[in-house]
Amino acid sequence: MNRLLRALRNFCLPVLSLTRTPGGRYIEWSSAFFDPVMDVCEKGVWFVGLLCFVLVIAGISLVVTTFYMYVIPYLWRVQHPFWFTVYLAYGHYLLLSISFHYFRGVYTDPGTAPKIPDFDPYSAELRRGWKVCHKCEGPKPPRAHHCRICNRCVLKMDHHCPWMFNCVGHQNHRYFMLFVIYMWMGTTYVVNCTWARVVVLMEIKAKFLYDVLDVLGMSESVSLAAEGPAPPHAEGTFVVMVFFICFGVTIALGILGGWNMYLISVSETTIEFYTNKKEAKDLRKEGKEFVNVYDYGCWNNWKVFLGIVNGRSFFRHVLLPSGHSPHHDGMDWNRNDVLSCAHSRTMPV
């Protein structure tokens, strides 16, 4: 029987991407029927990722160019010199932060599981949480996952991000999250700088809108935006287009960023959220409670994620661009043991 199972496994390996314990007792053979379709789809994701990467660069370039050509002169006309300087400095700070974290996220290797020559799968049982990847046929550390697009096991893999043209894993997860945060701040900033101009350019006369602006004390901004000569047609087109692009991206990134911030707060990756949810459901059927052994509490989870431990500061290593490495190697994680530490969440050392 074992020989038959081994033969079936070897036959299905090209299309089978599974993880099981070294003992091999839990195998979902039905995945062999779905994985060929998934492989074809995921190969196309590489090309989608390349397209998304180009779109991100083109989109940021469009917004920055429009801002320099049309929005900065407009701000100079309607803002007090002091506030104009503040707007300009803050905008350039956001541009620097967005660019730094995006390109570091794209070009930083997310972290790959080690290749161990003559690896004995049963020896993995000696290391807590280690498994065997049946795509790589090699060791799979805790929280690692095999990415079929990158064709490797990625340490603490969160997801394969087409917009970053890279996997998001242990080494670049912080860059991804900070890029999302700073990008949201950047698009919000552009919307705030252009909304009054867009109301004038689109000749919006809705009484309800002006009543709301009066209540919020923002009607004066529209009056200032309406002053001066009529803008060229190109200015109106680009400013309105950039406004709606940034408005849509602000909403999308707000949802994406909020979701990822929640996952970081409970120390879960996107993949772990679904696997832990399934495991918790199975344990409830047995009358047991699931405990995330990698959850150190919200505050400590963020400190570990941002790497602000061992003397690092929030100002120097988060508010300013920083290429510091994560807190540890991403392979052997400190655990809050389910039995002895179920109600004790301590900072990992």
Side-chain angles (χ1 to χ4, degrees):
M1 184 63 180
N2 288 337
R3 290 183 179 180
L4 177 60
L5 288 175
R6 191 178 298 111
L8 286 172
R9 181 178 67 84
N10 291 335
F11 175 77
C12 294
L13 270 178
V15 294
L16 188 61
S17 177
L18 298 170
T19 300
R20 60 179 174 88
T21 60
R25 288 172 294 179
Y26 305 102
I27 304 175
E28 299 177 7
W29 292 103
S30 60
S31 297
F33 297 98
F34 295 101
D35 277 7
V37 178
M38 293 299 296
D39 281 343
V40 172
C41 294
E42 288 170 347
K43 286 177 181 177
V45 173
W46 188 92
F47 296 99
V48 174
L50 179 61
L51 175 62
C52 290
F53 174 75
V54 173
L55 286 176
V56 170
I57 301 301
I60 293 176
S61 300
L62 172 65
V63 172
V64 171
T65 302
T66 301
F67 201 87
Y68 271 104
M69 290 183 64
Y70 303 121
V71 181
I72 288 180
Y74 158 71
L75 292 176
W76 172 255
R77 180 167 57 84
V78 300
Q79 293 290 342
H80 185 277
F82 172 78
W83 290 114
F84 172 79
T85 304
V86 172
Y87 269 80
L88 201 62
Y90 180 62
H92 283 85
Y93 164 73
L94 291 177
L95 179 60
L96 173 64
S97 299
I98 290 169
S99 302
F100 174 82
H101 290 101
Y102 182 69
F103 285 106
R104 286 303 296 261
V106 170
Y107 291 107
T108 298
D109 189 288
T112 306
K115 300 295 183 182
I116 302 177
D118 302 323
F119 173 70
D120 179 6
Y122 293 95
S123 67
E125 290 181 328
L126 302 177
R127 309 188 67 174
R128 184 171 53 181
W130 284 61
K131 299 179 182 179
V132 179
C133 176
H134 286 275
K135 199 75 173 182
C136 299
E137 293 252 309
K140 185 175 181 181
R143 313 189 78 178
H145 187 78
H146 187 91
C147 176
R148 282 180 282 194
I149 301 168
C150 297
N151 194 30
R152 57 176 172 168
C153 276
V154 176
L155 298 178
K156 194 193 160 196
M157 178 179 172
D158 187 83
H159 67 289
H160 186 95
C161 180
W163 297 103
M164 300 198 82
F165 201 33
N166 196 4
C167 258
V168 175
H170 179 63
Q171 298 290 343
N172 65 347
H173 197 175
R174 178 175 64 90
Y175 296 127
F176 166 78
M177 188 68 247
L178 290 179
F179 165 71
V180 170
I181 293 174
Y182 281 115
M183 191 69 170
W184 180 85
M185 294 170 64
T187 54
T188 304
Y189 166 78
V190 173
V191 168
N192 180 62
C193 289
T194 58
W195 71 268
R197 189 63 168 163
V198 169
V199 170
V200 174
L201 291 170
M202 296 185 67
E203 300 180 350
I204 299 176
K205 304 296 183 182
K207 184 178 183 301
F208 171 76
L209 173 62
Y210 285 90
D211 289 341
V212 172
L213 292 177
D214 284 334
V215 172
L216 297 176
M218 301 169 64
S219 57
E220 185 180 354
S221 298
V222 178
S223 300
L224 290 173
E227 295 178 357
H233 177 72
E235 176 180 349
T237 301
F238 279 103
V239 171
V240 171
M241 179 172 58
V242 162
F243 170 82
F244 281 105
I245 290 174
C246 289
F247 184 78
V249 172
T250 298
I251 296 175
L253 288 182
I255 297 171
L256 175 65
W259 167 246
N260 279 272
M261 292 173 73
Y262 163 76
L263 291 178
I264 294 168
S265 299
V266 298
S267 190
E268 287 183 332
T269 64
T270 302
I271 295 173
E272 288 172 344
F273 171 80
Y274 293 103
T275 57
N276 290 350
K277 184 178 180 181
K278 181 180 183 301
E279 185 175 349
K281 182 179 179 181
D282 294 339
L283 287 174
R284 280 197 299 269
K285 293 179 181 178
E286 300 175 9
K288 300 178 182 178
E289 181 183 358
F290 172 79
V291 176
N292 180 7
V293 296
Y294 305 115
D295 184 3
Y296 312 114
C298 180
W299 179 254
N300 287 330
N301 289 337
W302 274 99
K303 290 178 70 176
V304 172
F305 176 79
L306 295 173
I308 47 176
V309 294
N310 300 328
R312 294 172 180 166
S313 68
F314 181 82
F315 175 78
R316 171 63 186 86
H317 295 90
V318 178
L319 293 183
L320 297 180
S322 174
H324 65 277
S325 59
H327 180 49
H328 45 67
D329 62 8
M331 290 187 286
D332 290 303
W333 294 82
N334 293 66
R335 295 162 46 108
N336 287 322
D337 190 83
V338 176
L339 296 177
S340 62
C341 303
H343 302 289
S344 175
R345 297 180 178 183
T346 57
M347 182 69 177
V349 180

